């Protein structure tokens, strides 16, 4: 089982942390960087030492994905999941967190607990399991160590081990580079209430589940990435079904998956997307995490969110490389790019919680092409169609007593200190776009003629 160079570096850092008596490190590495392979490698090393590891996941699809990775490397393991006969003799167990929570006391004590998608650690089942095995080391793995409620993960982990950046993975060919588009019909979220820190699903559905918005999504899919295997991220099950119906009505083969479906039906639709039987798969909260179909090349964002983690998880679903895949396409109909930025933007992660009273930092200002609606970092021309980007007018400079001053960047207090006459105030007012009355009042206060 061979690791990529950066995965080997991560393994060495994890091993070093455990040697330093860090019992619960958190690995943060982007979606598509091979975290599943990494923690399966670690579990195998634990097994080879004759000790036990349990890999906790929160969806059945993740059980299947993790088990498949272990099988690919001929690593024996058991599965702990409702409806599956357990095999307690295996030193590695891939387990649904909900099932383990119900079976505590009947499961052999693990020496290492690996928590996939570890940003969910605050959930009660995870807490219960970790508390039940206090002697076990805990290894968390996630792409987005940020909870929607703003609370940190410092209650569960004591150290972050950082993986490579998204930009580096793209440059090295481990992720495909996306092209971003934000068509003009952006959903109007004014007045939409928030629940648990994110936009209310019912209010969001009322805004998004309209024929005009869905029709716009179909039109821009046909225009910007026709027939590309795509995932449409929707607000509710009904919304996902309606979007699939409208794609089908437009001649674009589509299917819908959601958590209430039978697992075999979900698998069938995912297979159809992978082999080209359908072009678009719509989803409600079922493929934001752990979904691994590299051929998918487009994300249609129809679910507005205030969650940076969810935003990055959704985009990350379509960034895996695939033979013949030159790029990925992101179609943002809900303004998430403006809220959270691009996948490859540099971000500083921390175990500490977010101060809810602190002003939220804005992503680096993105530009949008007036012609093709591409979203990109500041540039002179659109990288997609070459249309020139309007540039701000040059700042005006004014002269006061022989000193060249850039008033648009000078604090007003310093600028006033340089004003010796009423004419100086008038020049300052002109640059600052102050009204004439301001000059009169300030001149009176400063006793200037």
């Amino acid at each position: 089982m061979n690791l990529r160079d950066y995965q080997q570096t991560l393994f060495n850092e994890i091993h070093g942390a455990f040697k330093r008596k860090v019992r619960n490190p958190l690995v943060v590495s982007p979606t598509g960087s091979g975290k599943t392979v990494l923690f399966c490698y670690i579990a195998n090393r634990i097994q080879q030492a004759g000790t036990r590891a349990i890999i906790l996941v929160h969806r059945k699809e993740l059980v299947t994905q993790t088990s498949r990775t272990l099988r690919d490397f001929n690593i024996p393991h058991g599965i702990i999941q409702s409806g599956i006969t357990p095999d307690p003799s295996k030193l590695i167990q891939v387990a649904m967190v909900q099932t383990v929570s119900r079976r505590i006391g009947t499961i052999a004590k693990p020496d290492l607990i690996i928590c996939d998608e570890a940003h969910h650690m605050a959930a009660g089942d995870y807490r219960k399991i970790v508390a039940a095995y206090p002697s076990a080391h805990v290894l968390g793995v996630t792409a987005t160590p940020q909870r929607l409620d703003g609370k940190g993960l410092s209650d569960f982990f004591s150290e972050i081990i950082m993986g490579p950046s998204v930009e580096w993975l793209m440059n090295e060919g481990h992720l495909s580079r996306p092209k971003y588009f934000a068509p003009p019909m952006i959903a109007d979220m004014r007045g939409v209430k928030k629940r648990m820190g994110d936009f209310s699903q019912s209010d969001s559905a009322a805004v998004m589940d309209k024929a005009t918005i869905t029709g716009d999504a179909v039109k821009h899919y046909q225009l910007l990435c026709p027939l590309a295997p795509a995932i449409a991220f929707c607000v509710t099950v009904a919304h996902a079904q309606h979007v699939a119906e409208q794609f089908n009505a437009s001649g674009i083969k589509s299917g819908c998956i959601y958590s209430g479906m039978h697992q075999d039906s979900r698998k069938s639709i995912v297979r159809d997307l992978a082999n080209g039987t359908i072009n678009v798969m719509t989803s409600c909260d079922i493929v934001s995490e752990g979904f691994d179909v590299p051929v998918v090349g487009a994300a249609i964002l129809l679910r507005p969110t205030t969650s940076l983690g969810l935003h990055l998880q959704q985009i990350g679903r379509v960034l895996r490389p695939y033979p013949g895949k030159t790029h990925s396409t992101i179609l943002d109909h809900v303004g998430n790019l403006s809220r959270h930025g691009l996948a490859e933007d540099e971000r500083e992660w921390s175990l500490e919680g977010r101060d809810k009273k602190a002003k939220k930092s804005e992503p680096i200002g993105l530009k949008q092409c007036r012609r093709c609606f591409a979203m990109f970092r500041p540039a002179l021309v659109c990288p997609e169609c070459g249309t020139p980007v309007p540039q701000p007018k040059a700042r005006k400079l004014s002269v006061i007593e022989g000193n060249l001053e850039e008033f648009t960047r000078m604090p007003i207090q310093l600028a006033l200190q340089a004003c010796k006459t009423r004419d100086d105030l008038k020049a300052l007012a002109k640059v600052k776009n102050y009204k004439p009355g301001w000059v009169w009042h300030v001149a009176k206060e400063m006793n200037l003629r």
Side-chain angles (χ1 to χ4, degrees), residues 43-64:
N44 191 41
R45 291 289 293 262
I46 292 291
Q47 173 185 247
Q48 289 172 345
T51 49
R52 293 183 175 274
I54 185 168
I55 302 171
L56 296 179
V57 300
H58 71 294
R59 291 191 188 279
K60 293 179 180 179
E61 285 80 5
L62 296 178
V63 172
T64 301

Side-chain angles (χ1 to χ4, degrees), residues 353-372:
R354 184 177 70 250
D355 184 356
K356 291 186 177 181
K357 295 182 180 179
K359 184 177 180 180
K360 183 180 178 182
S361 60
E362 296 295 331
I364 295 175
L366 300 178
K367 298 294 183 180
Q368 183 172 31
C369 179
R370 298 172 296 176
R371 182 179 178 186
C372 72

